[in-house]
Amino acid sequence: MADITRRLGWRHLRGAPTAHIRHHRGGRLLHDGPGLSFWFRALTAALSEVPVDDRELAMTFHARTSDFQDVAVQATVTYRISDPATAASRLDFSIDPDTGAWRGTPLEQLGTLLTETAQQHALDVLARTPLSSALVDGVKAVRERIAAGLAAEPRLPATGIEVVAVRVVALRPEPEVERALRTPAREQIQQEADRATYERRAVAVERERAIAENELASQIELARREEQLVDQRGTNARREAEEHAAADAVRAQAEAARTVRLAEAEATRSVRLARAEAEGAREVGEARAQAQAAWLRVHAEVDVATLHALTGTRLAENLPRIDSVTVSPDVLTGLLARLGTQEPA
């Protein structure tokens, strides 16, 4: 919408770069172009504003296929006004000189023209297409047919309209039909999912079986090696026992030989010792006999008093220690009498 300001009976218009402004006064064209800015009088000016930017027109309509099924078509048409002068002459793009708003609804008229034209071509192509084919390839076919139909429509160039692009967003059947069509596909997808699940489980079971077989084979191998280890340990123990027995036998023989040698040496030493002891005993006996004989010879030549004195001395040597001696009068009398009777030497 153009921006219009008022100053002392005059009006100033400032248009946008995407709006084509046409200014007539008295049947003469004074200003013509996009993005204009000028002063004018409201009583004598005839103004029109034609948008020249690309515009999107969304449309939704229903059609029927060759097998009598209703479908909803959602499409978008991009267009622009390529000839503003022609469009302004065919449609009412005039604006109010005080507010800048359109007096009519030119864009709605363009939308109706484009929607009806596109709907006509879409209905034509869908009426000869069954529902299954329409759902599979209908979007492309409808888009191409609408684009070709709009390009061949003579009213659009005559109105200054250029179609830039056509897009078909969706082509949907009725909810009940769509639900019925989805059921086989869903069941097939579910079957594929179940098959994949079963295959995955089968693969998992197979892997578990392989793992179990590997573990069992490992256990068998370990048991076999343990058996070999036990046999080897038994062989080693037997060899060790045999070696120990042989060593013990050797030690026993050596010990027996050593014992025999020791016994022989001990016997020899005993014999020698016995001979030496016998010789010593003989020599001691002879010496004792000679000493006894000499002692007897000596005592044979000594008088009786001396023998008595020696006997007392020997007796005193062998008696225990006497701390005190008690001499009775009888003993003292006898001793004195005996001493008195001895002859003086």
Side-chain angles (χ1 to χ4, degrees):
M1 187 175 66
D3 185 12
I4 297 177
T5 57
R6 291 181 285 181
R7 293 291 187 275
L8 300 175
W10 287 84
R11 304 290 188 271
H12 183 270
L13 183 143
R14 181 175 59 191
T18 57
H20 190 95
I21 304 298
R22 292 174 62 84
H23 175 209
H24 292 80
R25 187 178 63 187
R28 292 184 303 111
L29 182 62
L30 299 180
H31 299 89
D32 185 16
L36 297 181
S37 179
F38 54 87
W39 291 91
F40 66 93
R41 285 187 177 274
L43 296 177
T44 60
L47 303 173
S48 61
E49 181 183 13
V50 181
V52 293
D53 57 338
D54 291 349
R55 292 183 173 267
E56 302 285 342
L57 177 62
M59 57 185 71
T60 301
F61 52 87
H62 293 272
R64 180 168 294 183
T65 61
S66 61
D67 50 358
F68 305 103
Q69 299 295 327
D70 292 335
V71 293
V73 181
Q74 296 179 358
T76 301
V77 176
T78 304
Y79 71 95
R80 66 170 172 261
I81 299 176
S82 59
D83 190 353
T86 303
S89 64
R90 298 295 299 271
L91 298 174
D92 185 10
F93 283 96
S94 62
I95 61 176
D96 190 292
D98 292 329
T99 61
W102 279 316
R103 297 179 184 271
T105 56
L107 296 182
E108 293 182 5
Q109 295 177 7
L110 283 178
T112 302
L113 174 61
L114 292 172
T115 301
E116 291 179 352
T117 305
Q119 183 176 0
Q120 178 182 355
H121 294 290
L123 293 176
D124 186 26
V125 69
L126 289 175
R128 296 192 300 270
T129 305
L131 179 62
S132 58
S133 300
L135 294 177
V136 176
D137 300 324
V139 172
K140 180 180 179 181
V142 171
R143 183 181 66 250
E144 293 177 352
R145 182 58 182 274
I146 290 176
L150 292 177
E153 180 64 33
R155 292 183 58 188
L156 299 181
T159 313
I161 305 301
E162 179 184 356
V163 176
V164 178
V166 176
R167 298 188 301 276
V168 177
V169 180
L171 197 153
R172 295 180 178 276
E174 292 183 348
E176 294 80 4
V177 177
E178 185 176 5
R179 192 178 302 111
L181 293 175
R182 287 180 178 177
T183 301
R186 289 182 177 179
E187 291 180 354
Q188 184 177 0
I189 293 173
Q190 186 63 38
Q191 292 177 0
E192 293 294 335
D194 294 340
R195 186 179 299 106
T197 302
Y198 296 151
E199 291 178 356
R200 184 169 62 253
R201 290 180 179 176
V203 171
V205 171
E206 182 66 22
R207 290 180 179 177
E208 290 179 357
R209 185 185 63 80
I211 293 173
E213 290 181 354
N214 292 333
E215 291 179 353
L216 181 60
S218 300
Q219 293 178 359
I220 294 174
E221 181 66 19
L222 289 176
R224 186 179 63 80
R225 292 186 179 182
E226 288 180 357
E227 182 180 1
Q228 294 177 355
L229 180 61
V230 170
D231 293 341
Q232 187 64 35
R233 287 179 177 176
T235 302
N236 295 338
R238 185 168 57 255
R239 290 179 181 177
E240 185 177 0
E242 292 176 355
E243 291 178 357
H244 287 170
D248 292 340
V250 172
R251 284 196 298 271
Q253 292 177 358
E255 185 68 21
R258 188 174 66 84
T259 302
V260 170
R261 288 196 300 271
L262 291 176
E264 292 177 353
E266 184 67 23
T268 303
R269 187 169 59 253
S270 297
V271 170
R272 291 178 181 177
L273 183 60
R275 290 178 181 178
E277 289 178 353
E279 185 68 20
R282 186 180 62 79
E283 292 179 355
V284 169
E286 291 178 355
R288 286 180 178 177
Q290 292 177 1
Q292 189 69 26
W295 184 79
L296 290 175
R297 284 195 304 269
V298 171
H299 285 76
E301 296 176 355
V302 177
D303 54 6
V304 176
T306 303
L307 291 175
H308 288 169
L310 290 174
T311 301
T313 302
R314 187 64 57 87
L315 178 62
E317 291 177 356
N318 294 323
L319 288 176
R321 181 179 177 180
I322 300 174
D323 293 332
S324 61
V325 176
T326 302
V327 180
S328 65
D330 296 334
V331 176
L332 182 59
T333 300
L335 289 176
L336 292 176
R338 185 175 296 180
L339 290 175
T341 59
Q342 292 182 359
E343 294 180 358

